[in-house]
Amino acid sequence: MSWHKLNSNQQRNHTLSVEQEKKKFSPDINENDEVFKTIFRDCSDVVYRELMISGQTKLLMIYIDGMIDTEIFESNVLRPLIYEGVPQGLGTIDSIANMCEQKLFSLMQISRLPDFDGTVESILKGSVAILADGDATACLANIKQVETRSIEESSAEPTLRGPREGFTENLRVNTTLLRRIITTPKLKMKSITIGTLTKTEVVISYIEGVVEPKLLEEVQYRVNQIDTNGILESGYIEEAIEDTHLTPFPQMLNSERPDVIASGLLEGKVAILTDGTPFALSVPMTFWTGLQAPDDYYERSMYVLMTRLLRFVFVIFGTTTSALYIALSNYHQEMIPTKLMISIASLREHAPFPTIIEVFMMEVVFEGLREAGIRLPKTIGPLVSIVGALVIGEAAVRAGIISAPIVIVVSFAGIASFIVPRYRFGFPLRMLRFPLIILSGMFGLFGLAAGMIAILAHLTRLSPFGIPYLTPVAPLVHGWIKDWLVRAPRKLTKSKAK
């Protein structure tokens, strides 16, 4: 048989399966059994169990092996059906279905469906489907049990003070963690299923009366417009609903800390939680949110002033230090103290490459070592990234490939970038170093100034979900200073935890 014919047969079988999946159940249990076996063809984890009640009624039970609680299934389903049978006075098919729905499974979530489509979806999500001969409906018992990771401390957002709980891959565990923090019925959680193949459950959470209605409406509209085969992580949703892809800056905050997401909800933001990932999204995000750490809201305001000031200064230095060194050493030597300039010139006397090439080489090596440290096992990852940079830098200087000041400048810029509390927010700041280096190498301080102005202009035009990215500084919002560079004491601000 040719490949074309084989492919046509596969498409015809797939179309047949889809048509069968949308069919209604037949009173003939054998016919229903054949349809299920066609739908679940080549699915070795699907279990079919047949049972006779009182020697007169045939039952068919279908479930996914490994997705149900076997103890509950045996004690609440199999044992009553095998040993108790049909109570006296229950002889009809409807009576048997009612017995399954009311008597045997009174402690479980029960539903009844008349078609294959909904029943197959429920089976794939961890329900047991029970069909009786002569009955054109399926009784579904939700006894889902999937092995999940326990609640642990967030490894991506460590803090010295504050809660140690982090989200898990289980959506219901994550919603429960939010409910424990915000104990009000005004906390709403709307569920949406996305993905034609994965059918991933996504929850849009907000606080009624606090969230801006236009923001909520826009988020719901964008999420509902997602058309894809599957959602494997919240990053799929983030990329699908963001305003523009032509910016390095994140437009949504992702976090695996329930307290951070709860803080956003209390501020009127919308949270998006996705089944299968511990990272939730908070919409929208501003530039200053990326520079705020959870500790800022658990420590005294005086400590926060010092740490935030240090953080802002280091962010500027980390972005511009390499470019500034190139501009000063190549074009504006008069701005460098004479003794320092003589020292730099003597160290660069035997350097084989121009300054801009040296900086580019070291920046690329440093970023490569940083990425290698992330991908390697945790026991040796930090050792490779830090020690590797020192060893390579020292060896390059001794070999005369790189001058010593370049190693110092690039190392300082790299260390300064580590101070950004949100790891993903450090990406754009690291990326922008390279165009600034090029501009400084071509035009000196004028190029660096032009690059910084272009970045600021881009930030002022960026408005994710209609909220200016530099809010509350540009545009200026009343009371902005209370939670920008400083965090005012609790008596002067509304209480919140971040």
Side-chain angles (χ1 to χ4, degrees):
M1 182 181 294
S2 66
W3 169 256
H4 177 71
K5 291 182 179 180
L6 180 61
N7 192 37
S8 299
N9 290 336
Q10 290 177 344
Q11 292 179 351
R12 188 161 50 252
N13 291 336
H14 175 71
T15 303
L16 180 61
S17 299
V18 172
E19 292 177 353
Q20 291 171 334
E21 192 173 346
K22 294 181 179 179
K23 279 179 54 179
K24 300 293 183 180
F25 286 118
S26 168
D28 187 354
I29 194 172
N30 293 322
E31 182 178 339
N32 295 333
D33 187 17
E34 291 299 323
V35 175
F36 273 115
K37 289 181 178 178
T38 301
I39 295 173
F40 290 116
R41 183 177 61 253
D42 297 331
C43 298
S44 59
D45 55 341
V46 179
V47 179
Y48 303 87
R49 302 191 68 166
E50 296 181 356
L51 184 66
M52 293 294 294
I53 296 182
S54 302
Q56 57 183 359
T57 304
K58 181 180 179 181
L59 294 183
L60 173 64
M61 288 166 282
I62 307 173
Y63 59 90
I64 304 293
D65 188 19
M67 290 192 67
I68 67 168
D69 191 324
T70 55
E71 293 184 2
I72 294 179
F73 177 65
E74 292 176 358
S75 61
N76 287 29
V77 179
L78 287 182
R79 190 171 299 162
L81 289 173
I82 294 174
Y83 295 104
E84 297 181 15
V86 182
Q88 293 183 357
L90 295 178
T92 65
I93 297 300
D94 290 338
S95 299
I96 295 174
N98 291 332
M99 175 195 69
C100 292
E101 187 172 352
Q102 298 175 9
K103 182 177 183 296
L104 298 181
F105 319 132
S106 58
L107 299 178
M108 294 178 289
Q109 184 179 350
I110 300 299
S111 60
R112 293 180 65 180
L113 294 176
D115 59 271
F116 286 95
D117 189 12
T119 303
V120 168
E121 183 176 346
S122 297
I123 292 173
L124 293 172
K125 289 184 177 181
S127 294
V128 177
I130 303 176
L131 294 89
D133 194 13
D135 188 8
T137 61
C139 182
L140 296 165
N142 185 5
I143 49 178
K144 178 180 179 180
Q145 185 187 47
V146 180
E147 295 296 330
T148 58
R149 181 169 57 91
S150 60
I151 298 175
E152 301 172 352
E153 182 180 0
S154 169
S155 59
E157 301 172 83
T159 58
L160 297 177
R161 184 174 180 178
R164 292 293 187 264
E165 294 179 334
F167 286 134
T168 70
E169 287 73 15
N170 190 308
L171 180 62
R172 287 304 154 212
V173 172
N174 298 341
T175 56
T176 302
L177 290 173
L178 286 180
R179 287 285 184 192
R180 287 171 53 184
I181 299 175
I182 307 176
T183 56
T184 173
K186 291 185 178 180
L187 176 60
K188 308 301 180 182
M189 300 202 179
K190 293 186 176 180
S191 179
I192 301 174
T193 301
I194 304 177
T196 55
L197 297 180
T198 61
K199 298 186 185 299
T200 305
E201 185 179 3
V202 176
V203 168
I204 298 177
S205 181
Y206 60 93
I207 299 180
E208 189 177 34
V210 178
V211 67
E212 181 68 29
K214 290 184 179 179
L215 172 62
L216 176 61
E217 183 180 352
E218 181 66 20
V219 173
Q220 290 179 332
Y221 172 77
R222 295 189 188 187
V223 173
N224 285 318
Q225 292 300 310
I226 297 176
D227 184 15
T228 181
N229 287 335
I231 298 291
L232 303 181
E233 214 272 338
S234 57
Y236 285 56
I237 299 176
E238 179 179 4
E239 191 171 0
I241 67 175
E242 64 183 3
D243 284 67
T244 176
H245 305 300
L246 303 178
T247 177
F249 294 94
Q251 300 160 63
M252 280 160 272
L253 174 68
N254 74 83
S255 176
E256 56 179 342
R257 291 182 61 92
D259 56 328
V260 173
I261 299 300
S263 172
L265 293 173
L266 294 172
E267 294 174 351
K269 297 180 181 180
V270 179
I272 302 175
L273 295 87
T274 308
D275 192 20
T277 175
F279 288 93
L281 301 176
S282 181
V283 181
M285 178 185 178
T286 64
F287 180 85
W288 314 110
T289 304
L291 299 178
Q292 296 172 352
D295 302 76
D296 294 351
Y297 297 87
Y298 302 134
E299 297 288 355
R300 297 182 63 220
S301 58
M302 187 176 297
Y303 304 157
V304 176
L305 170 62
M306 184 185 67
T307 55
R308 280 191 179 178
L309 181 61
L310 187 66
R311 195 179 299 148
F312 289 1
V313 170
F314 266 66
V315 165
I316 296 175
F317 282 168
T319 308
T320 62
T321 297
S322 299
L324 183 62
Y325 173 79
I326 295 174
L328 294 179
S329 62
N330 285 358
Y331 296 94
H332 309 280
Q333 293 91 346
E334 69 278 1
M335 298 181 66
I336 303 176
T338 304
K339 292 184 178 181
L340 178 59
M341 190 63 225
I342 294 174
S343 176
I344 293 175
S346 63
L347 291 172
R348 281 198 43 79
E349 184 177 0
H350 301 289
F353 303 107
T355 304
I356 185 173
I357 300 299
E358 289 184 333
V359 172
F360 246 106
M361 290 172 58
M362 285 303 299
E363 288 283 0
V364 171
V365 170
F366 196 91
E367 291 298 326
L369 289 172
R370 188 205 303 259
E371 189 69 16
I374 296 174
R375 306 303 169 193
L376 287 171
K378 292 183 179 180
T379 53
I380 62 174
L383 184 66
V384 170
S385 60
I386 297 174
V387 177
L390 295 175
V391 171
I392 291 177
E394 178 66 18
V397 171
R398 288 180 177 273
I401 301 175
I402 301 294
S403 59
I406 300 295
V407 177
I408 297 173
V409 169
V410 173
S411 300
F412 175 76
I415 293 172
S417 65
F418 285 123
I419 203 171
V420 179
R422 309 289 182 190
Y423 178 76
R424 285 183 67 253
F425 195 75
F427 274 116
L429 302 178
R430 287 155 49 192
M431 290 174 57
L432 292 173
R433 288 210 297 261
F434 292 96
L436 291 178
I437 289 172
I438 295 175
L439 289 173
S440 296
M442 295 175 63
F443 307 106
L445 286 178
F446 297 101
L448 177 60
M452 296 299 294
I453 292 173
I455 294 172
L456 288 175
H458 172 71
L459 290 175
T460 55
R461 295 187 60 185
L462 196 61
S463 297
F465 295 88
I467 306 298
Y469 202 61
L470 293 180
T471 304
V473 178
L476 190 63
V477 177
H478 176 69
W480 61 279
I481 194 65
K482 294 182 179 180
D483 192 17
W484 178 61
L485 180 59
V486 302
R487 181 186 65 76
R490 298 287 177 188
K491 293 181 180 180
L492 303 179
T493 60
K494 293 182 178 180
S495 176
K496 66 177 178 178
K498 197 148 187 169

